[in-house]
Amino acid sequence: MNVVILQDLVKRYRDKTALRGINLELQENCIVGLIGRNGAGKTTLMRTLAGYLKPTEGTALVFGEKPFDNIHVLSNIMYMDDDRFRDSDTLRDLLDRAALSYSRFDKTLALKLLEYFNIPVKARIKKLSRGMRTLFSLVIALMSRCPLTMLDEPTLGLDASHRKEFASLLLKDYANHPRTIIISSHLISELENLMEQVVLIDNGKLVFHKAIEDVQRYALYLAGHRKVLEEVAGRHQVICRESMGERLVLGIVNHLTAEELRQLEMQGIEISAMSVQDVCVNLTAPGKGGVLDVIAK
Amino acid sequence: MLSQSSRLRAMKALLYGYYLDFKSFFEIYFSILLGLIISKFLITPSASSSSSLNSALINCMIMLPVAMMVITSNSELKKKFSFPVDRDLLVLCHILLILVLPLVMLLMSCFFYLVELLLAELTLSVTTNFFYSLAITKSSFLIGFAISYMAIVCITALTWMVSAWFYRHKVPVGVIGAAFILGLIYLDDFRDSVFGLIGRLFHNPTPGLLSLKLAVITLAAFALGYIPIKRMEVK
Amino acid sequence: MNKWVMIALSIALVLSFALVYALSPSDEAFLSRYASGEYITVAAFDVPLDINGIVDTVNTMYPFTMKKVRMDIDKLEVRVNRNISGNLADFLKANLDVKLFFVPETYDRLNTEIRFPRSVYRFSAETFAIVGWFEHFRELLGNEILICVPMNYTFAE
């Protein structure tokens, strides 16, 4: 069953188009990484799914229904962003509200987790550090056990150990209570092990929606003599290129056969897999050089 | 498996949220009434002071419109959508607030009126230059309560409606509102025409007719305030 | 807040309403407290009865509520309602400073000058101010003090 169906989804603000005709289907019970640069439209997409925003054109369906102003759908959606709660709210009150709002909310476990993270439930939001706020939001988000859980930058402000613990918690809870989780984050490498699927968007458009294994195999780095690689570049889709004298590093979409790979290795070309993060970065590069080019000019 | 009975759950959670929000509102109102009593009887009694009932209308008409501006502000609306809620529920909760808050505030005034009577009796027994008189009857109390309630609900509903339409433009609306009030204070012709209009609307009222007019205005304000909230996006 | 505290507070508020209602007099009982027989004279002045005089009150009776009335009497009188808590009549008899004098070069104008040499505090346990919109209820506000003049006198505006 598809939890999310987007058909030609367009979201236009007064002076900006945030989403430009996105078509996407997400199945139930999977963890999806929503990747894109700043301003790519990730948050707009999630807010549209969360019923905050109304599509300008096209359709957004969640659980087969339009989410905007649909309490039946919204009761089964959890959208967590960094600006969710009021500073004056106490954590205990927010836990009570979450327990009232979500039928599956596990308050007992939520309290245990907060105790584990040393977050006092009597405190007000404003008394928490950035990281603690994020942890608290994550606890609420995960313990709500909504069939569609969306986490917008869930690791913002978390230190390395908490990021690791968040990943473990998410995986364990997901294993016990499977559901569709969409995670938008810049820390792709850290979340790579969590994701089952990757949705890459750029400038409001869907670049691809693939299983993580496919993204891990999506592209290759080829490094070697320019003469050899220029010939390869002519036959394959190049997604990045960096030259240092006669040496060239090419990033290409991986359509190479085993035979082609063997021949390249024989010609002294170094071949390595492109990381998911690099794939996403290279596919969404603005095409105007890097920041070093700006300095060089 | 989707959870059912979502509307009831959302309603409960939203009302609970507003209950938490308005706890401090009532603490402020309680403090104001208590402060007024203390100043009336204990600190610097003025030569003449009136009762909590007498000042209830003005207290409510200052505090409730401000509360309506706050609950319809962009940031507050956004926070309410942190938990599942649809716009119909939100409007329903706002209407409930508009109906319930004045009632509780007026009932609190009644409580403080009794406290004042008690304090007045106590003051009588310890001083020789203090006097108090009752200026209340059963009917004037009941009619006063009912009409005050309807007038407060009406003004609160109007403020809510205006705030709902202009919730993302609070600053210009505040400027226009302030200009309007200054105009009432300093421009005689303007003041006369505004009060003339209000006077025509409420000319020679009977309690029944006034209630009817207030109820119609309130219902119109509810209907008009519903429109912008229904189509509002959470940004 | 505890559920039981909330319930107790709600009951207290409703009880307050009921108690205020119960403690308030009926319209008839209230009006009878302010009937003319319920006022005591605390100051009286002989005035000429052969002129159509005009009485001007220089100082008001603040902080008390006052009504100026013409009635079938032969003196200018200051009367006070006997039902005011704290025995206002005795206090005024002892402390009220009222002077009456003719305005120079006129034959018919009199000034009453009223002062309270001692500080005095008044609390009015009034109903909701909004009832002042209705004529019927304006009559139910009562006046603590009456300034009474003979029928051939009028009051200056």
Side-chain angles (χ1 to χ4, degrees):
Chain A
M1 181 199 161
N2 284 328
V3 170
V4 172
I5 300 173
L6 305 180
Q7 289 168 338
D8 302 320
L9 181 68
V10 175
K11 180 62 197 173
R12 216 172 281 126
Y13 296 114
R14 195 177 298 166
D15 52 353
K16 187 190 163 200
T17 303
L19 300 175
R20 300 160 192 264
I22 290 192
N23 289 290
L24 179 68
E25 290 183 3
L26 298 179
Q27 289 174 332
E28 64 181 345
N29 302 338
C30 60
I31 301 180
V32 181
L34 181 61
I35 313 294
R37 289 171 176 259
N38 291 333
K42 306 186 293 291
T43 299
T44 300
L45 179 57
M46 285 201 273
R47 282 172 177 255
T48 307
L49 294 177
Y52 281 26
L53 305 174
K54 209 174 188 174
T56 311
E57 288 168 29
T59 318
L61 298 178
V62 178
F63 309 120
E65 295 176 40
K66 290 179 179 175
F68 187 82
D69 214 27
N70 184 336
I71 192 67
H72 177 58
V73 173
L74 298 180
S75 296
N76 292 283
I77 293 176
M78 161 57 73
Y79 170 61
M80 186 214 117
D81 63 1
D82 64 333
D83 186 25
R84 190 172 163 76
F85 305 121
R86 201 184 317 120
D87 280 354
S88 56
D89 290 332
T90 68
L91 308 196
R92 187 181 292 281
D93 290 341
L94 290 169
L95 282 172
D96 288 343
R97 284 183 64 191
L100 279 172
S101 298
Y102 300 106
S103 56
R104 301 177 191 81
F105 189 78
D106 189 339
K107 194 175 169 185
T108 314
L109 186 54
L111 285 168
K112 281 184 192 166
L113 286 168
L114 292 178
E115 193 183 343
Y116 171 77
F117 289 124
N118 286 325
I119 301 175
V121 286
K122 285 182 182 171
R124 291 186 188 279
I125 289 286
K126 65 183 166 201
K127 296 285 178 193
L128 302 184
S129 66
R130 187 79 197 77
M132 276 183 164
R133 277 187 205 204
T134 304
L135 277 174
F136 175 72
S137 297
L138 282 171
V139 168
I140 293 260
L142 291 179
M143 292 304 106
S144 69
R145 308 258 164 78
C146 284
L148 176 60
T149 301
M150 293 181 282
L151 311 175
D152 196 356
E153 295 295 344
T155 52
L156 211 65
L158 295 187
D159 60 30
S161 71
H162 277 144
R163 286 204 296 272
K164 205 172 166 186
E165 287 192 303
F166 155 68
S168 312
L169 173 66
L170 188 138
L171 278 180
K172 182 70 182 169
D173 202 58
Y174 172 69
N176 292 338
H177 305 276
R179 54 205 191 264
T180 305
I181 300 176
I182 302 176
I183 306 172
S184 144
S185 178
H186 292 103
L187 296 171
I188 304 166
S189 53
E190 282 193 27
L191 297 177
E192 198 175 321
N193 296 331
L194 295 177
M195 298 175 200
E196 293 171 280
Q197 295 176 20
V198 176
V199 170
L200 179 66
I201 59 173
D202 183 39
N203 200 21
K205 288 181 183 163
L206 180 72
V207 179
F208 64 60
H209 170 209
K210 290 181 184 296
I212 187 75
E213 298 82 14
D214 294 341
V215 183
Q216 284 162 339
R217 286 194 299 259
Y218 182 78
L220 295 172
Y221 279 124
L222 306 179
H225 200 277
R226 176 183 292 274
K227 216 172 183 179
V228 180
L229 288 179
E230 288 292 4
E231 190 265 330
V232 175
R235 286 185 283 120
H236 294 278
Q237 185 187 343
V238 178
I239 56 176
C240 71
R241 165 196 287 263
E242 200 174 326
S243 56
M244 286 162 281
E246 281 306 298
R247 187 178 159 80
L248 185 64
V249 178
L250 276 187
I252 61 162
V253 176
N254 184 10
H255 293 308
L256 295 173
T257 61
E259 178 58 25
E260 282 176 304
L261 285 171
R262 197 180 59 79
Q263 280 187 359
L264 284 170
E265 276 176 339
M266 283 173 61
Q267 288 173 297
I269 301 298
E270 297 160 28
I271 302 169
S272 58
M274 193 182 283
S275 69
V276 174
Q277 173 149 320
D278 283 2
V279 169
C280 293
V281 168
N282 288 325
L283 284 176
T284 57
K288 51 187 178 184
V291 72
L292 293 179
D293 296 333
V294 178
I295 296 169
K297 281 172 192 168
Chain B
M1 177 73 186
L2 300 183
S3 73
Q4 301 300 317
S5 69
S6 31
R7 187 170 287 270
L8 191 63
R9 294 190 74 87
M11 183 76 179
K12 274 188 193 171
L14 190 60
L15 282 176
Y16 181 66
Y18 276 119
Y19 156 71
L20 295 173
D21 293 350
F22 276 90
K23 244 173 27 173
S24 51
F25 174 86
F26 279 113
E27 282 164 11
I28 293 169
Y29 184 63
F30 184 90
S31 307
I32 288 173
L33 290 180
L34 191 66
L36 285 174
I37 283 195
I38 290 171
S39 71
K40 257 180 241 176
F41 289 96
L42 300 175
I43 302 173
T44 51
S46 61
S48 177
S49 48
S50 56
S51 70
S52 301
L53 298 185
N54 189 271
S55 53
L57 189 70
I58 195 83
N59 285 340
C60 294
M61 283 199 179
I62 292 169
M63 287 189 71
L64 283 169
V66 173
M68 290 306 113
M69 284 184 229
V70 171
I71 66 167
T72 52
S73 68
N74 195 38
S75 62
E76 282 298 311
L77 287 172
K78 196 174 157 189
K79 302 292 183 219
K80 285 292 169 277
F81 280 83
S82 299
F83 294 104
V85 61
D86 68 9
R87 286 142 187 88
D88 289 353
L89 274 182
L90 193 70
V91 170
L92 186 62
C93 270
H94 283 181
I95 290 176
L96 278 177
L97 285 175
I98 293 169
L99 295 177
V100 171
L101 293 178
L103 187 67
V104 178
M105 291 172 90
L106 288 177
L107 288 174
M108 281 172 78
S109 300
C110 292
F111 172 78
F112 276 92
Y113 177 83
L114 292 174
V115 174
E116 284 172 339
L117 288 187
L118 198 66
L119 283 173
E121 289 291 345
L122 283 173
T123 313
L124 270 184
S125 63
V126 294
T127 61
T128 56
N129 58 345
F130 176 81
F131 307 94
Y132 85 89
S133 53
L134 286 175
I136 187 168
T137 67
K138 284 190 188 339
S139 66
S140 70
F141 170 65
L142 282 185
I143 296 291
F145 190 96
I147 301 290
S148 296
Y149 173 72
M150 297 200 75
I152 296 164
V153 167
C154 182
I155 294 288
T156 311
L158 285 171
T159 319
W160 172 78
M161 184 265 286
V162 172
S163 303
W165 273 99
F166 299 104
Y167 68 104
R168 289 203 178 104
H169 311 283
K170 287 276 154 67
V171 174
V173 171
V175 170
I176 293 167
F180 183 80
I181 291 166
L182 288 174
L184 284 181
I185 295 170
Y186 294 109
L187 303 174
D188 294 343
D189 290 345
F190 180 65
R191 182 175 54 234
D192 291 345
S193 54
V194 170
F195 286 139
L197 188 70
I198 295 171
R200 265 205 296 282
L201 200 59
F202 299 113
H203 180 64
N204 260 348
T206 60
L209 195 60
L210 183 62
S211 305
L212 189 68
K213 285 178 179 176
L214 290 171
V216 169
I217 295 170
T218 304
L219 288 175
F222 286 155
L224 287 171
Y226 174 72
I227 297 166
I229 293 184
K230 182 66 182 170
R231 62 188 191 196
M232 166 195 74
E233 289 190 325
V234 184
K235 290 178 185 167
Chain C
M1 202 185 284
N2 186 306
K3 188 171 79 179
W4 293 109
V5 175
M6 282 296 294
I7 291 170
L9 283 176
S10 308
I11 291 171
L13 289 180
V14 174
L15 272 181
S16 302
F17 177 85
L19 213 55
V20 173
Y21 180 77
L23 289 175
S24 304
S26 65
D27 288 3
E28 295 75 29
F30 182 85
L31 287 172
S32 68
R33 288 182 188 188
Y34 288 91
S36 55
E38 295 297 307
Y39 287 85
I40 300 166
T41 303
V42 289
F45 298 92
D46 289 325
V47 288
L49 296 173
D50 56 344
I51 59 165
N52 291 325
I54 301 166
V55 175
D56 202 356
T57 311
V58 175
N59 290 43
T60 63
M61 296 295 291
Y62 182 82
F64 298 101
T65 55
M66 177 190 73
K67 194 176 175 187
K68 298 165 182 175
V69 288
R70 294 160 69 209
M71 56 172 64
D72 192 14
I73 51 175
D74 54 6
K75 290 183 177 186
L76 187 151
E77 295 183 20
V78 178
R79 296 182 182 185
V80 62
N81 190 284
R82 69 167 91 206
N83 298 312
I84 309 300
S85 299
N87 201 352
L88 182 60
D90 285 351
F91 178 85
L92 291 185
K93 274 179 189 168
N95 295 291
L96 192 66
D97 179 11
V98 187
K99 285 178 185 154
L100 179 77
F101 52 88
F102 284 88
V103 178
E105 296 176 13
T106 68
Y107 295 99
D108 54 359
R109 290 191 82 96
L110 294 94
N111 273 354
T112 50
E113 208 176 282
I114 302 167
R115 292 183 201 284
F116 291 101
R118 280 184 62 190
S119 59
V120 62
Y121 302 111
R122 168 187 175 267
F123 169 65
S124 176
E126 297 153 310
T127 185
F128 297 93
I130 205 163
V131 297
W133 280 32
F134 311 110
E135 204 176 332
H136 168 67
F137 292 107
R138 277 199 293 272
E139 291 164 8
L140 290 175
L141 293 173
N143 290 291
E144 288 140 347
I145 289 170
L146 297 181
I147 295 190
C148 314
V149 292
M151 290 302 280
N152 53 329
Y153 277 73
T154 53
F155 290 96
E157 289 300 321

